[in-house]
């Protein structure tokens, strides 16, 4: 049986606005096992990044974070002060390295700062580890790079530096928040391959946040599909792609061209409508206004995440009603 490293149950993140409370994350359940790659996928504004910020303790000051369970390696993240969270073996790779790296500090100082503070090692030892990880992440002339500033590197090299920085303290969990979005396709492929190789080499668990299902298919062990602040479907990557249960997941997959099936003149499917406002309370299924299979139960039944198969969960009123009928 796999050992859970991170367990989240009923995570709620609420932000105050002039029009009322915005429920950015609404009852998210997630489990990350040691050494696995969990991809969180969904369109912009669905709560992916806000969930990761809640884990790292980086939410805005006025945000309210609640959960019935949020533990990492046996530590309760809700009761642990920020000073304690900094000591946990978690790190994060942000979306845009140029805004994540300090432009006024040399790369060597930024790479070594964390490990010196957390592991109480000498500057020489920290420097040696920085050089090793820069070399391991494919940064040429690694020792020379320590004396350079972020603006002197290309986007791809800056992202490799961010990956090396995330590995400096040998974390048990890395959260990668769309780390390839700002890169061109060729560099993106290299970074994805690098993250997967390093994850397997160091045995680190990774939460990889993306909106690209092509990326998910290449690197994920398990997938969590988010919509309107909720996880609407989760399971193994093969099961999700072969047999998606939620209409939103089905819609996302139908938007992807399939080699050998989608011809030059073929049209890709689209998901009509827009994401509902997350301000105020919401009744029924959040996806109902965009679902082609909508029924009366979609407006009246607020679905919960239920197991629809072995290690496969779905949040859908229609699917839930079907399971109830089969059980009776």
């Amino acid at each position: 049986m796999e050992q859970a490293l991170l367990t989240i149950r009923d995570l709620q993140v609420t932000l105050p606005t002039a029009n009322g409370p915005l429920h950015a994350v609404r009852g998210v359940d997630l489990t990350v096992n040691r050494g696995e790659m969990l991809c969180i996928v969904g369109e912009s504004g669905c709560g992916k990044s806000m969930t990761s910020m809640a884990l790292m303790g980086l939410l805005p000051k006025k945000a309210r974070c609640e959960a019935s369970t949020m533990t990492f390696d046996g530590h309760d993240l809700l009761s642990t002060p920020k000073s304690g969270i900094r000591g946990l073996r978690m790190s994060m790779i942000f979306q845009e390295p140029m805004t994540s790296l300090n432009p006024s500090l040399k790369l060597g100082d930024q790479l070594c700062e964390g490990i010196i503070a957390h592991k109480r090692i000498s500057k020489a030892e920290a420097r040696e580890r920085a050089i090793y990880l820069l070399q391991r992440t494919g940064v040429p002339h690694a020792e020379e790079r320590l004396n350079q500033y972020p603006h002197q590197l290309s986007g791809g090299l800056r992202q490799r530096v961010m990956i090396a920085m995330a590995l400096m303290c040998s974390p048990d969990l890395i959260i990668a928040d769309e780390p390839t979005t700002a890169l061109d396709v060729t560099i993106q492929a290299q970074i994805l391959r690098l993250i997967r190789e390093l994850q397997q080499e160091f045995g680190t668990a990774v939460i990889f946040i993306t909106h690209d299902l092509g990326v998910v298919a290449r690197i994920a062990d398990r997938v969590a599909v988010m919509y309107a602040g909720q996880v609407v479907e989760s399971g193994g990557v093969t099961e999700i792609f072969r047999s998606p249960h939620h209409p939103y997941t089905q819609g996302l997959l139908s938007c992807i061209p399939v080699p050998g099936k989608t011809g030059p003149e073929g049209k890709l499917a689209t998901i009509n409508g827009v994401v509902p406002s997350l301000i105020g309370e919401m009744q029924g299924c959040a996806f109902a206004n965009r679902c082609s299979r909508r029924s009366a139960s979609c407006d009246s039944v607020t679905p919960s995440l239920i197991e629809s198969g072995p290690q496969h969960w779905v949040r859908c009123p229609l699917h839930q009603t079907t399971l109830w009928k089969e059980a009776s």
Side-chain angles (χ1 to χ4, degrees), residues 111-121 125-126 129 168-169:
L111 282 163
C112 297
E113 179 183 20
I115 194 170
I116 290 174
H118 291 301
K119 297 205 170 185
R120 310 292 183 180
I121 66 175
E125 291 173 314
R129 180 159 178 81
M168 282 292 290
C169 291

Side-chain angles (χ1 to χ4, degrees), residues 129-267:
R129 180 159 178 81
I131 293 171
Y132 165 72
L133 287 173
L134 287 178
Q135 292 172 338
R136 187 63 192 84
T137 53
V139 177
H141 312 295
E143 188 169 359
E144 298 174 16
R145 301 293 184 185
L146 298 182
N147 294 317
Q148 293 184 328
Y149 292 89
H151 73 272
Q152 295 177 281
L153 275 64
S154 66
L157 284 179
R158 284 195 293 267
Q159 197 60 281
R160 291 172 188 268
V161 170
M162 287 296 298
I163 295 171
M165 186 180 297
L167 290 167
M168 282 292 290
C169 291
S170 303
D172 291 322
L173 174 67
I174 294 176
I175 301 173
D177 188 2
E178 301 197 44
T180 60
T181 299
L183 306 176
D184 63 59
V185 176
T186 303
I187 302 301
Q188 181 186 81
Q190 295 174 3
I191 295 297
L192 289 174
R193 185 168 58 250
L194 175 63
I195 290 175
R196 188 57 165 163
E197 289 175 355
L198 292 173
Q199 180 252 338
Q200 294 174 341
E201 177 182 338
F202 291 97
T204 306
V206 177
I207 297 177
F208 195 100
I209 298 171
T210 182
H211 59 268
D212 189 336
L213 284 171
V215 169
V216 173
R218 292 178 58 185
I219 67 173
D221 296 316
R222 290 193 302 114
V223 185
V225 181
M226 287 192 69
Y227 182 80
Q230 295 179 316
V231 174
V232 295
E233 187 166 4
S234 66
V237 62
T238 302
E239 178 67 16
I240 293 292
F241 274 78
R242 284 183 179 177
S243 180
H245 290 170
H246 197 280
Y248 178 61
T249 311
Q250 294 168 358
L252 289 177
L253 290 171
S254 67
C255 295
I256 302 175
V258 179
K261 293 184 178 180
T262 307
E265 304 299 326
K267 292 184 178 181

Side-chain angles (χ1 to χ4, degrees), residues 2 9 13-14 23-24 29 78 130 147 154 162-163 194 217 225 243 246 255 268-269 291 296 299 307 309 318 327:
E2 291 181 294
R9 295 292 179 266
V13 177
T14 306
H23 302 281
D29 293 349
L78 294 172
N147 294 317
S154 66
M162 287 296 298
I163 295 171
L194 175 63
V225 181
S243 180
H246 197 280
C255 295
L268 297 177
C291 184
D299 297 319
E307 192 166 9
L318 294 176

Side-chain angles (χ1 to χ4, degrees), residues 233-234 239 243 245 306-314 319 323:
E233 187 166 4
S234 66
E239 178 67 16
S243 180
H245 290 170
I306 58 175
E307 192 166 9
S308 59
Q311 301 300 307
H312 193 161
W313 288 265
V314 65
H319 199 81
L323 289 181

